[in-house]
Amino acid sequence: MKLVFATGNVGKLREASEILGEGFELVSLAEVGIHEDIPETGKTLRANSLQKAKYLYEKVGCNCFADDTGLEVDALGGAPGVYTARYAGDDKDFNKNMDKVLYELSVLESESRMAAALGLKTKPVSRRARFKSVITLIINGEVKMFEGTLEGVISREKSGNGGFGYDPIFIADEFPGQTLADITEEEKNAISHRGKALRAMAQWLHEKA
Ligand code: IMP
């Protein structure tokens, strides 16, 4: 079965092909002649994922899927959330995005220390966070959504050269003491939010086939 994946990222395309396995041919946006940025104006990951998949389905008229991912940091009230890609600005600079998260957590921690020093009641700042991925699949006009979550904490500093995005500051519960950028691509794919959502989609497609 041929499926268009709303991505220009070859790494994501390869990961999805490996997870879906035999019987599925994944096609990138460039291969179907889509070179523009697909609009993402929703207020939630689900809305954005659906918006991207619908845009693609209307343009190419064939089976397709889109994903949207966000990082939620508890102490930041769930931010950056739907604004994960452009948290520190429209240039989508990963380093600036990570620095902003680290800075905001350090400010909260120093405020909490100051309050404690003044004898005020204060709760320790939680660095708990999670990645969430939502995939929307449109197959023969039917819309199906799949989700995957990866729980962890935000590290105190960046570490590692692998991965992309916020990987250097995210420590998954499964690999304590190492960020996602410290572990191998294989190790990350086995536990990742996107891996889980893709495997849920693969299972559904295989059951349907
Ligand atoms: P997208 O929806 O896949 O484009 O992801 C939105 C943003 O989330 C990206 O620009 C990345 O900064 C971040 N992101 C998505 N997936 C990951 C991941 O697996 N590791 C780290 N950051 C990610």
Side-chain angles (χ1 to χ4, degrees):
M1 178 190 292
K2 193 165 137 180
L3 284 174
V4 183
F5 184 9
T7 187
N9 179 328
V10 272
K12 273 193 188 179
L13 202 72
R14 194 182 57 227
E15 179 192 2
S17 297
E18 278 166 15
I19 289 175
L20 285 172
E22 276 179 24
F24 293 95
E25 183 201 343
L26 291 197
V27 177
S28 71
L29 288 177
E31 288 171 277
V32 290
I34 295 188
H35 301 286
E36 70 271 24
D37 277 346
I38 300 185
E40 293 180 54
T41 53
K43 295 266 182 288
T44 62
L45 298 177
R46 287 177 73 85
N48 275 341
S49 164
L50 180 63
Q51 184 181 22
K52 285 192 269 187
K54 272 189 166 168
Y55 179 95
L56 187 54
Y57 191 71
E58 277 159 23
K59 272 246 156 155
V60 297
C62 64
N63 296 333
C64 60
F65 66 97
D67 71 327
D68 201 45
T69 296
L71 173 69
E72 288 179 2
V73 182
D74 286 352
L76 303 181
V82 75
Y83 306 107
T84 295
R86 50 193 84 226
Y87 195 43
D90 280 343
D91 54 356
K92 298 187 180 178
D93 184 316
F94 294 143
N95 268 309
K96 285 198 222 158
N97 284 339
M98 285 188 284
D99 287 343
K100 186 170 178 190
V101 169
L102 292 177
Y103 175 73
E104 288 179 337
L105 286 175
S106 75
V107 168
L108 289 175
E109 283 173 341
S110 70
E111 283 171 358
S112 167
R113 274 195 303 274
M114 273 194 281
L118 291 170
L120 299 171
K121 256 197 181 167
T122 152
K123 272 204 287 183
V125 175
S126 165
R127 299 185 76 92
R128 182 125 296 266
R130 67 206 53 78
F131 278 111
K132 277 189 185 164
S133 279
V134 180
I135 290 179
T136 301
L137 170 72
I138 305 187
I139 192 151
N140 305 325
E142 182 185 356
V143 177
K144 267 305 275 181
M145 288 177 130
F146 306 90
E147 297 193 9
T149 299
L150 177 63
E151 284 285 340
V153 290
I154 301 297
S155 62
R156 301 215 156 258
E157 54 192 33
K158 294 175 200 161
S159 172
N161 300 312
F164 70 102
Y166 293 76
D167 282 349
I169 62 163
F170 190 90
I171 300 175
D173 290 345
E174 289 86 341
F175 290 93
Q178 285 177 289
T179 69
L180 291 179
D182 288 318
I183 63 177
T184 65
E185 193 179 317
E186 230 177 28
E187 286 172 329
K188 181 185 165 187
N189 290 347
I191 56 162
S192 84
H193 39 294
R194 203 173 14 262
K196 285 174 189 156
L198 281 168
R199 278 188 287 277
M201 178 174 84
Q203 189 180 341
W204 187 83
L205 282 167
H206 284 292
E207 279 167 8
K208 206 176 153 70

